[in-house]
Amino acid sequence: MSTDYGQLRRKAQDEVNTELADIEDPFEKRAAAEEIRDQAYMELSMLKQERQQLIASAALYEYTPQLHERFGIQRHQMKRLTMDVLYGLEGRESWHYPPMWPADRVAAAREAGVAHPDNVVGKAEEIATRYEYAEARRDAAVAHLGAAREAVRLAGGRVKVPAPERPDFEDVRQRARDQLLEQFAKLVTTPEKQLQLAAEAVDRAEEEAAELLVERDAAMNTLAFYTTARGVYFSAGISRSGMTRAQQRALGLPRDAAVPPRPELPAAGRAAGVKFVEDAAEKLPKVAAEYEAVEAQRLTAIEIRDAAVRVLHAAPYGWTPTQLAEAIGRDRKIVNRIVNPDEMY
């Protein structure tokens, strides 16, 4: 049975919250939180290299489509770790996403001198569990550090900020879509290469969008909870209901729960540990525009990828769903939905 990483992270977070709950003085709480954070950083530093080596070994010698779940990470993260072990990609500014998996993983691993310990998947999962636990403790401690600073800064009220800009998001999305279509239109290549490039574009956009979404919501929630800004969702490129859902997530509320009225939001945000982002009024429009551009390119790349999948599935190529799933790094069910959209899966 695989480790429940969500439960593991919640346990680590609860432990940190319990350790700091009875400390009321912000200076004492800051010192205690810094100690927990530093201990976690030390643990992460000690585990980092061994974790990467074991995960890479497991991915190369004993790969399965859902292997990344055993280590509490996404598929593209496992690929990054593995490709760095094979090709030394870490720290390079010239690449944006790892190359495709080698045609023969085992041969590539042996050529690179990657060891294959007994029970490598189990050992990788064990060290990944320790790593995720330390990372969750670090993140929980950092959240407490931020909350202590915010409580002093806000003093129970709202910070006055200038009205944030409202980008033309439709224009942002269209320009991003056109840019990617233009890039692929210039390519003179085989269907196989088209599929590879499109799949990499989807993966890259997913990774970038996930990171930008966190930044966007953090800036948006700062403005909504702690500042004088109004109509913040216009600057985020979403609807009022979308902002409400983001606030519910930040406060740990279910979808059907009411968000506290505006006068109560500062206190509710602090109680829930919602972080205060510096320069949020300037940051939100920029990050939101970046997110919408990347999301538009993600959807466009999916269209290109799916078209290439259908071409390679049909004659004269005749690729099987299993081959296509391996090529795009996705579950076979996704390929089945692409090539047989009218069937139920």
Side-chain angles (χ1 to χ4, degrees):
M1 181 179 294
S2 298
T3 302
D4 185 337
Y5 286 95
Q7 184 179 32
L8 177 73
R9 296 185 188 102
R10 288 191 294 272
K11 178 186 176 185
Q13 184 178 34
D14 290 344
E15 288 177 355
V16 172
N17 292 342
T18 300
E19 291 175 41
L20 300 176
D22 295 332
I23 306 176
E24 296 183 0
D25 181 86
F27 294 99
E28 292 182 14
K29 179 168 287 191
R30 181 180 63 183
E34 286 176 344
E35 183 177 358
I36 295 173
R37 178 201 61 190
D38 293 346
Q39 289 174 344
Y41 269 126
M42 185 178 299
E43 180 77 3
L44 290 170
S45 178
M46 293 171 58
L47 296 173
K48 181 179 178 181
Q49 185 173 2
E50 184 179 3
R51 167 179 171 267
Q52 179 173 0
Q53 290 290 333
L54 287 171
I55 289 176
S57 177
L60 291 167
Y61 289 106
E62 302 186 25
Y63 177 83
T64 61
Q66 306 306 319
L67 182 63
H68 58 283
E69 296 178 359
R70 295 284 298 270
F71 313 133
I73 56 179
Q74 298 296 316
R75 184 183 284 107
H76 68 262
Q77 292 174 301
M78 183 176 74
K79 186 177 181 182
R80 273 184 181 276
L81 293 173
T82 303
M83 293 305 167
D84 177 40
V85 170
L86 280 180
Y87 306 121
L89 298 176
E90 185 176 9
R92 291 191 183 180
E93 298 180 356
S94 59
W95 68 282
H96 299 287
Y97 205 79
M100 296 294 287
W101 290 106
D104 188 333
R105 290 187 176 88
V106 173
R110 288 172 177 165
E111 183 178 350
V114 178
H116 185 196
D118 294 336
N119 188 30
V120 65
V121 173
K123 291 178 179 177
E125 183 173 3
E126 180 181 351
I127 200 168
T129 300
R130 294 170 57 194
Y131 190 91
E132 292 293 325
Y133 176 78
E135 193 169 57
R137 283 183 61 85
R138 179 204 64 190
D139 292 345
V142 169
H144 279 279
L145 286 170
R149 291 193 295 268
E150 291 157 22
V152 174
R153 181 190 297 114
L154 296 169
R158 287 179 174 271
V159 175
K160 185 176 181 180
V161 297
E165 295 180 9
R166 298 179 178 181
D168 184 344
F169 287 105
E170 284 302 320
D171 181 62
V172 168
R173 297 182 190 105
Q174 189 60 51
R175 283 191 288 108
R177 176 180 172 82
D178 291 345
Q179 182 184 39
L180 189 67
L181 287 173
E182 183 179 353
Q183 290 175 4
F184 274 87
K186 292 178 180 179
L187 293 175
V188 180
T189 186
T190 63
E192 294 93 332
K193 188 64 175 180
Q194 180 94 343
L195 179 66
Q196 175 190 337
L197 294 174
E200 289 178 354
V202 173
D203 290 342
R204 182 168 59 250
E206 283 186 350
E207 181 181 357
E208 293 175 2
E211 294 174 354
L212 289 167
L213 182 62
V214 173
E215 292 185 50
R216 186 202 71 181
D217 285 358
M220 181 176 66
N221 285 328
T222 291
L223 295 174
F225 282 95
Y226 301 134
T227 78
T228 56
R230 290 182 176 272
V232 176
Y233 56 92
F234 287 114
S235 298
I238 60 176
S239 64
R240 184 191 293 271
S241 62
M243 186 177 77
T244 297
R245 184 59 193 136
Q247 291 176 325
Q248 289 170 330
R249 289 194 297 268
L251 295 174
L253 299 174
R255 281 183 174 270
D256 56 351
V259 173
R262 182 175 171 82
E264 299 176 15
L265 282 178
R270 286 195 300 277
V274 178
K275 297 181 180 180
F276 184 92
V277 177
E278 295 285 355
D279 301 323
E282 296 179 8
K283 188 173 185 178
L284 176 60
K286 296 176 183 177
V287 174
E290 290 180 40
Y291 171 79
E292 291 300 327
V294 170
E295 182 65 7
Q297 291 195 335
R298 182 186 72 85
L299 296 174
T300 304
I302 287 175
E303 294 175 9
I304 298 170
R305 181 201 69 186
D306 292 358
V309 165
R310 287 188 286 270
V311 168
L312 289 168
H313 182 62
Y317 302 99
W319 284 28
T320 67
T322 299
Q323 289 175 304
L324 290 165
E326 174 71 10
I328 66 175
R330 303 287 162 146
D331 190 90
R332 180 174 168 172
K333 290 181 180 178
I334 293 177
V335 173
N336 288 334
R337 284 196 292 267
I338 295 170
V339 298
N340 298 304
D342 296 329
E343 296 187 15
M344 299 292 293
Y345 294 97

